[in-house]
Amino acid sequence: MRPYLLSILLSLLCMAAASAKDVVRHFISPTPRMHCESCEKKIRRVLQFEKGMKDIQFDLEKNTILIVFDPAKTSLEKLATKLEKIGYEIEVTDESGRPLPKKEKN
């Protein structure tokens, strides 16, 4: 019985590891600033049913949103376009809300 349970647990761990590598995580900061639960609900409504979205977490105090999505199904650019339609522009930030340095093109 133990080898059977062990094989089931290993299978579940493998599936979890495989699905975890198929997502990207970005912290974004919307402008205008989120200031209430209504702002959060408005943004969540737009993003939650987008194909490939896995998770959305808000931090109103830091004005950051953690978005987790499958890059094979959507992109940061598509999500930004959705938010622009409801009046928000986004900037990619770190967890604390500080803007990430721009990458230079060679």
Side-chain angles (χ1 to χ4, degrees):
M1 184 71 163
R2 281 189 180 193
Y4 179 72
L5 289 175
L6 184 59
S7 66
I8 290 175
L9 286 174
L10 286 174
S11 296
L12 289 172
L13 284 173
C14 289
M15 287 190 305
S19 65
K21 69 178 179 181
D22 294 339
V23 298
V24 257
R25 300 166 36 100
H26 285 289
F27 284 95
I28 59 173
S29 181
T31 303
R33 184 177 178 82
M34 299 181 296
H35 61 277
C36 64
E37 195 174 302
S38 179
C39 299
E40 180 182 327
K41 285 180 182 178
K42 184 178 181 182
I43 292 170
R44 184 179 300 278
R45 236 186 342 262
V46 168
L47 296 181
Q48 72 182 353
F49 296 114
E50 179 69 22
K51 285 185 180 182
M53 284 301 299
K54 302 294 182 189
D55 194 20
I56 308 167
Q57 297 176 15
F58 294 85
D59 187 332
L60 293 177
E61 186 177 309
K62 294 179 185 173
N63 193 47
T64 60
I65 306 167
L66 170 63
I67 54 174
V68 182
F69 61 91
D70 180 346
K73 296 182 180 177
T74 193
S75 67
L76 187 57
E77 291 78 18
K78 286 181 187 176
L79 299 174
T81 300
K82 294 270 186 186
L83 291 172
E84 285 174 6
K85 289 181 180 177
I86 61 167
Y88 289 97
E89 298 216 2
I90 63 163
E91 182 172 30
V92 179
T93 66
D94 65 11
E95 188 173 348
S96 68
R98 289 187 300 263
L100 294 179
K102 306 277 188 216
K103 294 181 181 179
E104 294 182 23
K105 295 180 181 180
N106 292 339

